[in-house]
mmCIF file of all heavy atoms in Angstrom:
data_model
loop_
_atom_site.group_PDB
_atom_site.id
_atom_site.type_symbol
_atom_site.label_atom_id
_atom_site.label_comp_id
_atom_site.label_asym_id
_atom_site.label_seq_id
_atom_site.Cartn_x
_atom_site.Cartn_y
_atom_site.Cartn_z
ATOM 1 N N ASP A 1 0.430 -16.051 16.401
ATOM 2 C CA ASP A 1 1.153 -17.203 15.789
ATOM 3 C C ASP A 1 1.170 -16.859 14.277
ATOM 4 O O ASP A 1 1.043 -17.775 13.442
ATOM 5 C CB ASP A 1 0.470 -18.505 15.967
ATOM 6 C CG ASP A 1 1.369 -19.701 15.827
ATOM 7 O OD1 ASP A 1 2.653 -19.438 15.846
ATOM 8 O OD2 ASP A 1 0.840 -20.792 15.460
ATOM 9 N N ILE A 2 1.507 -15.719 13.938
ATOM 10 C CA ILE A 2 1.737 -15.270 12.517
ATOM 11 C C ILE A 2 3.174 -15.599 12.177
ATOM 12 O O ILE A 2 4.124 -15.104 12.721
ATOM 13 C CB ILE A 2 1.396 -13.687 12.283
ATOM 14 C CG1 ILE A 2 -0.009 -13.560 12.495
ATOM 15 C CG2 ILE A 2 1.844 -13.415 10.801
ATOM 16 C CD1 ILE A 2 -0.476 -11.947 12.595
ATOM 17 N N ALA A 3 3.289 -16.385 11.084
ATOM 18 C CA ALA A 3 4.643 -16.876 10.728
ATOM 19 C C ALA A 3 5.464 -15.947 9.961
ATOM 20 O O ALA A 3 6.623 -15.916 9.861
ATOM 21 C CB ALA A 3 4.444 -18.311 9.953
ATOM 22 N N LYS A 4 4.718 -14.979 9.212
ATOM 23 C CA LYS A 4 5.498 -13.932 8.455
ATOM 24 C C LYS A 4 6.001 -12.905 9.274
ATOM 25 O O LYS A 4 5.542 -12.528 10.279
ATOM 26 C CB LYS A 4 4.491 -13.386 7.417
ATOM 27 C CG LYS A 4 4.072 -14.363 6.239
ATOM 28 C CD LYS A 4 3.032 -13.653 5.323
ATOM 29 C CE LYS A 4 2.650 -14.618 4.200
ATOM 30 N NZ LYS A 4 1.870 -13.971 3.227
ATOM 31 N N ARG A 5 7.042 -12.249 8.721
ATOM 32 C CA ARG A 5 7.906 -11.179 9.391
ATOM 33 C C ARG A 5 6.699 -10.034 9.210
ATOM 34 O O ARG A 5 6.197 -9.729 8.084
ATOM 35 C CB ARG A 5 9.071 -10.789 8.676
ATOM 36 C CG ARG A 5 9.729 -9.663 9.554
ATOM 37 C CD ARG A 5 11.012 -9.320 8.659
ATOM 38 N NE ARG A 5 11.689 -8.202 9.317
ATOM 39 C CZ ARG A 5 11.420 -7.002 9.102
ATOM 40 N NH1 ARG A 5 10.552 -6.635 8.175
ATOM 41 N NH2 ARG A 5 12.064 -6.016 9.719
ATOM 42 N N ALA A 6 6.383 -9.350 10.437
ATOM 43 C CA ALA A 6 5.484 -8.198 10.406
ATOM 44 C C ALA A 6 5.940 -7.176 11.404
ATOM 45 O O ALA A 6 6.401 -7.431 12.433
ATOM 46 C CB ALA A 6 4.083 -8.622 10.734
ATOM 47 N N THR A 7 5.881 -5.959 10.880
ATOM 48 C CA THR A 7 6.335 -4.794 11.650
ATOM 49 C C THR A 7 5.155 -3.683 11.530
ATOM 50 O O THR A 7 4.247 -3.865 10.794
ATOM 51 C CB THR A 7 7.601 -4.000 11.181
ATOM 52 O OG1 THR A 7 7.396 -3.454 9.758
ATOM 53 C CG2 THR A 7 8.840 -5.047 11.101
ATOM 54 N N ILE A 8 5.270 -2.665 12.352
ATOM 55 C CA ILE A 8 4.369 -1.631 12.191
ATOM 56 C C ILE A 8 4.149 -1.102 10.837
ATOM 57 O O ILE A 8 3.119 -0.783 10.204
ATOM 58 C CB ILE A 8 4.669 -0.441 13.130
ATOM 59 C CG1 ILE A 8 4.575 -0.905 14.586
ATOM 60 C CG2 ILE A 8 3.763 0.800 12.773
ATOM 61 C CD1 ILE A 8 3.088 -1.116 15.127
ATOM 62 N N HIS A 9 5.284 -0.998 10.147
ATOM 63 C CA HIS A 9 5.289 -0.571 8.798
ATOM 64 C C HIS A 9 4.510 -1.550 7.779
ATOM 65 O O HIS A 9 3.938 -1.170 6.780
ATOM 66 C CB HIS A 9 6.702 -0.321 8.235
ATOM 67 C CG HIS A 9 6.715 0.466 6.967
ATOM 68 N ND1 HIS A 9 6.561 1.780 6.946
ATOM 69 C CD2 HIS A 9 6.948 0.184 5.664
ATOM 70 C CE1 HIS A 9 6.722 2.364 5.636
ATOM 71 N NE2 HIS A 9 6.877 1.357 4.924
ATOM 72 N N THR A 10 4.480 -2.807 8.236
ATOM 73 C CA THR A 10 3.673 -3.770 7.366
ATOM 74 C C THR A 10 2.155 -3.433 7.355
ATOM 75 O O THR A 10 1.444 -3.539 6.289
ATOM 76 C CB THR A 10 3.792 -5.155 8.029
ATOM 77 O OG1 THR A 10 5.122 -5.431 8.173
ATOM 78 C CG2 THR A 10 3.072 -6.185 7.255
ATOM 79 N N LEU A 11 1.762 -2.547 8.371
ATOM 80 C CA LEU A 11 0.337 -2.193 8.451
ATOM 81 C C LEU A 11 0.146 -1.242 7.314
ATOM 82 O O LEU A 11 -0.963 -1.129 6.717
ATOM 83 C CB LEU A 11 0.030 -1.587 9.865
ATOM 84 C CG LEU A 11 0.059 -2.489 10.939
ATOM 85 C CD1 LEU A 11 -0.201 -1.844 12.241
ATOM 86 C CD2 LEU A 11 -0.861 -3.750 10.819
ATOM 87 N N ARG A 12 1.054 -0.314 7.099
ATOM 88 C CA ARG A 12 0.935 0.593 5.877
ATOM 89 C C ARG A 12 0.899 -0.131 4.616
ATOM 90 O O ARG A 12 -0.069 0.281 3.837
ATOM 91 C CB ARG A 12 2.240 1.499 6.039
ATOM 92 C CG ARG A 12 2.219 2.626 4.948
ATOM 93 C CD ARG A 12 3.401 3.406 5.142
ATOM 94 N NE ARG A 12 3.788 4.264 4.057
ATOM 95 C CZ ARG A 12 3.294 5.650 3.940
ATOM 96 N NH1 ARG A 12 2.391 6.076 4.740
ATOM 97 N NH2 ARG A 12 3.630 6.257 2.787
ATOM 98 N N HIS A 13 1.673 -1.006 4.332
ATOM 99 C CA HIS A 13 1.619 -1.964 3.189
ATOM 100 C C HIS A 13 0.341 -2.582 3.030
ATOM 101 O O HIS A 13 -0.327 -2.646 1.901
ATOM 102 C CB HIS A 13 2.739 -2.820 3.022
ATOM 103 C CG HIS A 13 4.072 -2.175 2.909
ATOM 104 N ND1 HIS A 13 4.566 -1.790 1.644
ATOM 105 C CD2 HIS A 13 5.146 -1.843 3.918
ATOM 106 C CE1 HIS A 13 5.776 -1.228 1.820
ATOM 107 N NE2 HIS A 13 6.061 -1.202 3.084
ATOM 108 N N SER A 14 -0.153 -3.161 4.099
ATOM 109 C CA SER A 14 -1.467 -3.897 4.247
ATOM 110 C C SER A 14 -2.544 -2.848 3.818
ATOM 111 O O SER A 14 -3.566 -3.257 3.127
ATOM 112 C CB SER A 14 -1.797 -4.521 5.590
ATOM 113 O OG SER A 14 -0.802 -5.456 5.784
ATOM 114 N N PHE A 15 -2.563 -1.698 4.399
ATOM 115 C CA PHE A 15 -3.592 -0.732 4.167
ATOM 116 C C PHE A 15 -3.752 -0.402 2.692
ATOM 117 O O PHE A 15 -4.762 -0.691 2.152
ATOM 118 C CB PHE A 15 -3.264 0.575 4.963
ATOM 119 C CG PHE A 15 -4.093 1.800 4.887
ATOM 120 C CD1 PHE A 15 -5.350 1.773 5.322
ATOM 121 C CD2 PHE A 15 -3.656 2.776 4.068
ATOM 122 C CE1 PHE A 15 -6.261 2.858 5.218
ATOM 123 C CE2 PHE A 15 -4.467 3.930 3.948
ATOM 124 C CZ PHE A 15 -5.831 3.914 4.530
ATOM 125 N N ALA A 16 -2.567 -0.163 2.002
ATOM 126 C CA ALA A 16 -2.571 0.155 0.704
ATOM 127 C C ALA A 16 -2.996 -1.023 -0.202
ATOM 128 O O ALA A 16 -3.879 -0.891 -1.144
ATOM 129 C CB ALA A 16 -1.162 0.547 0.253
ATOM 130 N N THR A 17 -2.585 -2.163 0.179
ATOM 131 C CA THR A 17 -3.003 -3.404 -0.551
ATOM 132 C C THR A 17 -4.453 -3.683 -0.518
ATOM 133 O O THR A 17 -5.095 -3.929 -1.560
ATOM 134 C CB THR A 17 -2.111 -4.535 -0.145
ATOM 135 O OG1 THR A 17 -0.719 -4.235 -0.187
ATOM 136 C CG2 THR A 17 -2.429 -5.822 -0.915
ATOM 137 N N HIS A 18 -4.981 -3.469 0.721
ATOM 138 C CA HIS A 18 -6.442 -3.874 0.801
ATOM 139 C C HIS A 18 -7.223 -2.849 0.108
ATOM 140 O O HIS A 18 -8.301 -3.051 -0.365
ATOM 141 C CB HIS A 18 -6.816 -3.927 2.290
ATOM 142 C CG HIS A 18 -6.193 -5.156 3.031
ATOM 143 N ND1 HIS A 18 -6.730 -6.352 2.732
ATOM 144 C CD2 HIS A 18 -5.505 -5.310 4.018
ATOM 145 C CE1 HIS A 18 -6.074 -7.250 3.469
ATOM 146 N NE2 HIS A 18 -5.298 -6.687 4.311
ATOM 147 N N LEU A 19 -6.793 -1.480 0.027
ATOM 148 C CA LEU A 19 -7.558 -0.538 -0.539
ATOM 149 C C LEU A 19 -7.587 -0.887 -2.111
ATOM 150 O O LEU A 19 -8.539 -0.834 -2.725
ATOM 151 C CB LEU A 19 -6.813 0.838 -0.456
ATOM 152 C CG LEU A 19 -7.134 1.566 0.908
ATOM 153 C CD1 LEU A 19 -6.299 2.836 1.059
ATOM 154 C CD2 LEU A 19 -8.653 1.868 1.249
ATOM 155 N N LEU A 20 -6.448 -1.116 -2.554
ATOM 156 C CA LEU A 20 -6.381 -1.585 -4.172
ATOM 157 C C LEU A 20 -7.227 -2.780 -4.409
ATOM 158 O O LEU A 20 -7.926 -2.781 -5.318
ATOM 159 C CB LEU A 20 -4.922 -1.641 -4.428
ATOM 160 C CG LEU A 20 -4.165 -0.487 -4.525
ATOM 161 C CD1 LEU A 20 -2.627 -0.677 -4.611
ATOM 162 C CD2 LEU A 20 -4.551 0.497 -5.557
ATOM 163 N N GLU A 21 -7.048 -3.829 -3.539
ATOM 164 C CA GLU A 21 -7.955 -5.045 -3.748
ATOM 165 C C GLU A 21 -9.297 -4.812 -3.737
ATOM 166 O O GLU A 21 -10.197 -5.323 -4.298
ATOM 167 C CB GLU A 21 -7.499 -6.090 -2.691
ATOM 168 C CG GLU A 21 -6.129 -6.718 -3.065
ATOM 169 C CD GLU A 21 -5.685 -7.744 -2.025
ATOM 170 O OE1 GLU A 21 -6.210 -7.855 -0.927
ATOM 171 O OE2 GLU A 21 -4.786 -8.514 -2.336
ATOM 172 N N GLY A 22 -9.656 -3.688 -2.941
ATOM 173 C CA GLY A 22 -11.092 -3.316 -2.722
ATOM 174 C C GLY A 22 -11.698 -2.433 -3.796
ATOM 175 O O GLY A 22 -12.836 -2.023 -3.812
ATOM 176 N N GLY A 23 -10.831 -2.153 -4.804
ATOM 177 C CA GLY A 23 -11.238 -1.327 -5.936
ATOM 178 C C GLY A 23 -10.872 0.225 -5.756
ATOM 179 O O GLY A 23 -11.398 1.013 -6.760
ATOM 180 N N CYS A 24 -10.179 0.511 -4.828
ATOM 181 C CA CYS A 24 -9.944 2.070 -4.661
ATOM 182 C C CYS A 24 -8.904 2.485 -5.742
ATOM 183 O O CYS A 24 -7.981 1.678 -6.080
ATOM 184 C CB CYS A 24 -9.249 2.188 -3.272
ATOM 185 S SG CYS A 24 -9.057 3.926 -2.906
ATOM 186 N N ASP A 25 -9.092 3.659 -6.276
ATOM 187 C CA ASP A 25 -8.284 4.046 -7.325
ATOM 188 C C ASP A 25 -6.892 4.433 -6.815
ATOM 189 O O ASP A 25 -6.734 4.783 -5.655
ATOM 190 C CB ASP A 25 -8.751 5.168 -8.236
ATOM 191 C CG ASP A 25 -8.910 6.433 -7.330
ATOM 192 O OD1 ASP A 25 -9.789 6.581 -6.559
ATOM 193 O OD2 ASP A 25 -7.964 7.357 -7.477
ATOM 194 N N ILE A 26 -5.813 4.297 -7.614
ATOM 195 C CA ILE A 26 -4.497 4.421 -7.363
ATOM 196 C C ILE A 26 -4.122 5.961 -6.883
ATOM 197 O O ILE A 26 -3.394 6.051 -6.038
ATOM 198 C CB ILE A 26 -3.413 4.078 -8.610
ATOM 199 C CG1 ILE A 26 -2.125 3.786 -8.030
ATOM 200 C CG2 ILE A 26 -3.589 4.954 -9.656
ATOM 201 C CD1 ILE A 26 -1.774 2.576 -7.515
ATOM 202 N N ARG A 27 -4.795 6.843 -7.468
ATOM 203 C CA ARG A 27 -4.532 8.181 -6.889
ATOM 204 C C ARG A 27 -4.959 8.562 -5.628
ATOM 205 O O ARG A 27 -4.332 9.184 -4.815
ATOM 206 C CB ARG A 27 -5.198 9.203 -8.053
ATOM 207 C CG ARG A 27 -4.712 9.220 -9.359
ATOM 208 C CD ARG A 27 -3.397 9.877 -9.465
ATOM 209 N NE ARG A 27 -2.844 9.950 -10.874
ATOM 210 C CZ ARG A 27 -1.770 10.268 -11.196
ATOM 211 N NH1 ARG A 27 -0.884 10.686 -10.340
ATOM 212 N NH2 ARG A 27 -1.347 10.308 -12.468
ATOM 213 N N THR A 28 -6.162 7.851 -5.190
ATOM 214 C CA THR A 28 -6.658 8.093 -3.845
ATOM 215 C C THR A 28 -5.632 7.403 -2.821
ATOM 216 O O THR A 28 -5.288 7.974 -1.746
ATOM 217 C CB THR A 28 -8.114 7.461 -3.671
ATOM 218 O OG1 THR A 28 -8.927 8.109 -4.643
ATOM 219 C CG2 THR A 28 -8.624 7.618 -2.212
ATOM 220 N N VAL A 29 -5.214 6.198 -3.254
ATOM 221 C CA VAL A 29 -4.243 5.494 -2.289
ATOM 222 C C VAL A 29 -2.887 6.324 -2.228
ATOM 223 O O VAL A 29 -2.325 6.380 -1.210
ATOM 224 C CB VAL A 29 -3.930 4.024 -2.941
ATOM 225 C CG1 VAL A 29 -2.855 3.389 -2.013
ATOM 226 C CG2 VAL A 29 -5.227 3.260 -2.893
ATOM 227 N N GLN A 30 -2.578 6.949 -3.364
ATOM 228 C CA GLN A 30 -1.383 7.751 -3.402
ATOM 229 C C GLN A 30 -1.472 8.818 -2.406
ATOM 230 O O GLN A 30 -0.561 9.080 -1.602
ATOM 231 C CB GLN A 30 -1.036 8.289 -4.797
ATOM 232 C CG GLN A 30 -0.029 9.292 -4.803
ATOM 233 C CD GLN A 30 0.065 10.007 -6.202
ATOM 234 O OE1 GLN A 30 -0.720 9.864 -7.171
ATOM 235 N NE2 GLN A 30 0.936 11.065 -6.255
ATOM 236 N N GLU A 31 -2.601 9.585 -2.425
ATOM 237 C CA GLU A 31 -2.870 10.627 -1.488
ATOM 238 C C GLU A 31 -2.894 10.256 0.010
ATOM 239 O O GLU A 31 -2.366 10.847 0.832
ATOM 240 C CB GLU A 31 -4.197 11.298 -1.884
ATOM 241 C CG GLU A 31 -4.287 12.694 -1.094
ATOM 242 C CD GLU A 31 -5.517 13.490 -1.720
ATOM 243 O OE1 GLU A 31 -5.729 13.588 -2.912
ATOM 244 O OE2 GLU A 31 -6.253 14.081 -0.887
ATOM 245 N N LEU A 32 -3.654 9.124 0.191
ATOM 246 C CA LEU A 32 -3.719 8.615 1.573
ATOM 247 C C LEU A 32 -2.325 8.212 2.183
ATOM 248 O O LEU A 32 -2.105 8.339 3.472
ATOM 249 C CB LEU A 32 -4.744 7.332 1.605
ATOM 250 C CG LEU A 32 -6.199 7.715 1.511
ATOM 251 C CD1 LEU A 32 -7.031 6.450 1.315
ATOM 252 C CD2 LEU A 32 -6.665 8.530 2.577
ATOM 253 N N LEU A 33 -1.519 7.699 1.354
ATOM 254 C CA LEU A 33 -0.140 7.319 1.830
ATOM 255 C C LEU A 33 0.814 8.408 1.834
ATOM 256 O O LEU A 33 1.965 8.381 2.321
ATOM 257 C CB LEU A 33 0.364 6.089 0.874
ATOM 258 C CG LEU A 33 -0.277 4.852 0.958
ATOM 259 C CD1 LEU A 33 0.301 3.903 -0.035
ATOM 260 C CD2 LEU A 33 -0.402 4.269 2.423
ATOM 261 N N GLY A 34 0.501 9.596 1.151
ATOM 262 C CA GLY A 34 1.238 10.722 1.122
ATOM 263 C C GLY A 34 2.459 10.567 0.081
ATOM 264 O O GLY A 34 3.573 11.282 0.270
ATOM 265 N N HIS A 35 2.310 9.889 -0.798
ATOM 266 C CA HIS A 35 3.413 9.603 -1.945
ATOM 267 C C HIS A 35 3.345 10.939 -2.835
ATOM 268 O O HIS A 35 2.176 11.267 -3.282
ATOM 269 C CB HIS A 35 3.196 8.468 -2.719
ATOM 270 C CG HIS A 35 3.414 7.119 -1.994
ATOM 271 N ND1 HIS A 35 2.862 5.946 -2.381
ATOM 272 C CD2 HIS A 35 4.145 6.894 -0.817
ATOM 273 C CE1 HIS A 35 3.286 4.978 -1.470
ATOM 274 N NE2 HIS A 35 4.001 5.594 -0.569
ATOM 275 N N SER A 36 4.409 11.480 -3.138
ATOM 276 C CA SER A 36 4.391 12.622 -4.130
ATOM 277 C C SER A 36 4.329 12.014 -5.544
ATOM 278 O O SER A 36 3.991 12.726 -6.287
ATOM 279 C CB SER A 36 5.624 13.321 -3.843
ATOM 280 O OG SER A 36 6.901 12.601 -3.907
ATOM 281 N N SER A 37 4.753 10.799 -5.758
ATOM 282 C CA SER A 37 4.747 10.091 -7.110
ATOM 283 C C SER A 37 3.991 8.927 -7.156
ATOM 284 O O SER A 37 3.989 8.174 -6.257
ATOM 285 C CB SER A 37 6.168 9.815 -7.530
ATOM 286 O OG SER A 37 6.206 8.964 -8.682
ATOM 287 N N VAL A 38 2.950 8.822 -8.224
ATOM 288 C CA VAL A 38 2.243 7.714 -8.206
ATOM 289 C C VAL A 38 3.124 6.414 -8.511
ATOM 290 O O VAL A 38 2.649 5.353 -8.337
ATOM 291 C CB VAL A 38 1.145 7.844 -9.377
ATOM 292 C CG1 VAL A 38 1.785 7.788 -10.829
ATOM 293 C CG2 VAL A 38 -0.113 6.924 -9.241
ATOM 294 N N GLU A 39 4.139 6.634 -9.009
ATOM 295 C CA GLU A 39 5.095 5.462 -9.330
ATOM 296 C C GLU A 39 5.428 4.759 -8.007
ATOM 297 O O GLU A 39 5.445 3.481 -8.042
ATOM 298 C CB GLU A 39 6.267 5.873 -10.035
ATOM 299 C CG GLU A 39 6.244 6.180 -11.483
ATOM 300 C CD GLU A 39 5.556 7.492 -11.774
ATOM 301 O OE1 GLU A 39 5.697 8.462 -11.067
ATOM 302 O OE2 GLU A 39 4.913 7.578 -12.971
ATOM 303 N N THR A 40 5.593 5.538 -7.021
ATOM 304 C CA THR A 40 5.983 4.972 -5.677
ATOM 305 C C THR A 40 4.782 4.077 -5.243
ATOM 306 O O THR A 40 4.890 3.003 -4.661
ATOM 307 C CB THR A 40 6.111 6.037 -4.566
ATOM 308 O OG1 THR A 40 7.196 6.791 -5.074
ATOM 309 C CG2 THR A 40 6.577 5.426 -3.321
ATOM 310 N N THR A 41 3.468 4.567 -5.450
ATOM 311 C CA THR A 41 2.210 3.860 -5.063
ATOM 312 C C THR A 41 2.116 2.549 -5.949
ATOM 313 O O THR A 41 1.554 1.609 -5.388
ATOM 314 C CB THR A 41 0.991 4.832 -5.180
ATOM 315 O OG1 THR A 41 1.309 5.986 -4.481
ATOM 316 C CG2 THR A 41 -0.153 4.100 -4.514
ATOM 317 N N MET A 42 2.506 2.550 -7.157
ATOM 318 C CA MET A 42 2.280 1.584 -8.107
ATOM 319 C C MET A 42 2.977 0.356 -7.586
ATOM 320 O O MET A 42 2.705 -0.819 -7.949
ATOM 321 C CB MET A 42 2.859 1.882 -9.470
ATOM 322 C CG MET A 42 2.120 3.022 -10.210
ATOM 323 S SD MET A 42 0.458 2.536 -10.647
ATOM 324 C CE MET A 42 0.742 1.478 -12.042
ATOM 325 N N ILE A 43 4.026 0.491 -6.689
ATOM 326 C CA ILE A 43 4.650 -0.725 -6.131
ATOM 327 C C ILE A 43 3.654 -1.733 -5.512
ATOM 328 O O ILE A 43 3.848 -2.906 -5.585
ATOM 329 C CB ILE A 43 5.713 -0.306 -4.890
ATOM 330 C CG1 ILE A 43 6.783 0.438 -5.656
ATOM 331 C CG2 ILE A 43 6.242 -1.483 -4.208
ATOM 332 C CD1 ILE A 43 7.822 1.213 -4.832
ATOM 333 N N TYR A 44 2.648 -1.095 -4.865
ATOM 334 C CA TYR A 44 1.560 -1.922 -4.240
ATOM 335 C C TYR A 44 0.745 -2.710 -5.249
ATOM 336 O O TYR A 44 0.131 -3.670 -4.806
ATOM 337 C CB TYR A 44 0.770 -0.956 -3.400
ATOM 338 C CG TYR A 44 1.412 -0.443 -2.248
ATOM 339 C CD1 TYR A 44 1.919 0.989 -2.336
ATOM 340 C CD2 TYR A 44 1.662 -1.146 -1.077
ATOM 341 C CE1 TYR A 44 2.705 1.476 -1.320
ATOM 342 C CE2 TYR A 44 2.548 -0.573 -0.054
ATOM 343 C CZ TYR A 44 2.943 0.773 -0.223
ATOM 344 O OH TYR A 44 3.699 1.367 0.791
ATOM 345 N N THR A 45 0.667 -2.283 -6.421
ATOM 346 C CA THR A 45 -0.204 -3.092 -7.427
ATOM 347 C C THR A 45 0.213 -4.373 -7.687
ATOM 348 O O THR A 45 -0.606 -5.246 -7.972
ATOM 349 C CB THR A 45 -0.404 -2.190 -8.795
ATOM 350 O OG1 THR A 45 0.891 -2.075 -9.316
ATOM 351 C CG2 THR A 45 -1.028 -0.807 -8.553
ATOM 352 N N HIS A 46 1.571 -4.726 -7.587
ATOM 353 C CA HIS A 46 1.864 -6.063 -7.902
ATOM 354 C C HIS A 46 1.644 -6.976 -6.696
ATOM 355 O O HIS A 46 1.433 -8.237 -6.951
ATOM 356 C CB HIS A 46 3.511 -6.144 -8.096
ATOM 357 C CG HIS A 46 4.373 -6.211 -6.998
ATOM 358 N ND1 HIS A 46 4.625 -4.971 -6.256
ATOM 359 C CD2 HIS A 46 4.921 -7.126 -6.351
ATOM 360 C CE1 HIS A 46 5.402 -5.267 -5.257
ATOM 361 N NE2 HIS A 46 5.617 -6.549 -5.203
ATOM 362 N N VAL A 47 1.425 -6.430 -5.511
ATOM 363 C CA VAL A 47 1.043 -7.240 -4.295
ATOM 364 C C VAL A 47 -0.480 -7.447 -4.366
ATOM 365 O O VAL A 47 -0.877 -8.546 -4.046
ATOM 366 C CB VAL A 47 1.449 -6.424 -3.095
ATOM 367 C CG1 VAL A 47 1.138 -7.323 -1.779
ATOM 368 C CG2 VAL A 47 3.007 -6.229 -3.101
ATOM 369 N N ALA A 48 -1.298 -6.462 -4.782
ATOM 370 C CA ALA A 48 -2.582 -6.558 -4.811
ATOM 371 C C ALA A 48 -3.263 -7.445 -5.837
ATOM 372 O O ALA A 48 -3.965 -6.826 -6.629
ATOM 373 C CB ALA A 48 -3.203 -5.085 -4.787
#
């Protein structure tokens, strides 16, 4: 009964957001997500 739109890709976003909220550094999150640019990973910082 989750009211928000959620897809499999949402899990990727949640993973990154939870890592950042847990204090994981942005470079580690970048590597785990496979982003070539940290700017792409920085998108998650506004959510976290």
Side-chain angles (χ1 to χ4, degrees):
D1 201 24
I2 296 172
K4 293 183 178 182
R5 182 179 181 276
T7 65
I8 292 293
H9 196 72
T10 306
L11 298 175
R12 180 177 166 86
H13 291 276
S14 297
F15 177 72
T17 302
H18 289 300
L19 285 172
L20 291 167
E21 286 177 346
C24 190
D25 68 277
I26 193 84
R27 294 283 182 191
T28 302
V29 176
Q30 174 190 359
E31 190 166 321
L32 289 170
L33 294 178
H35 292 158
S36 51
S37 166
V38 77
E39 283 77 29
T40 306
T41 314
M42 293 293 285
I43 293 167
Y44 296 100
T45 59
H46 81 280
V47 179

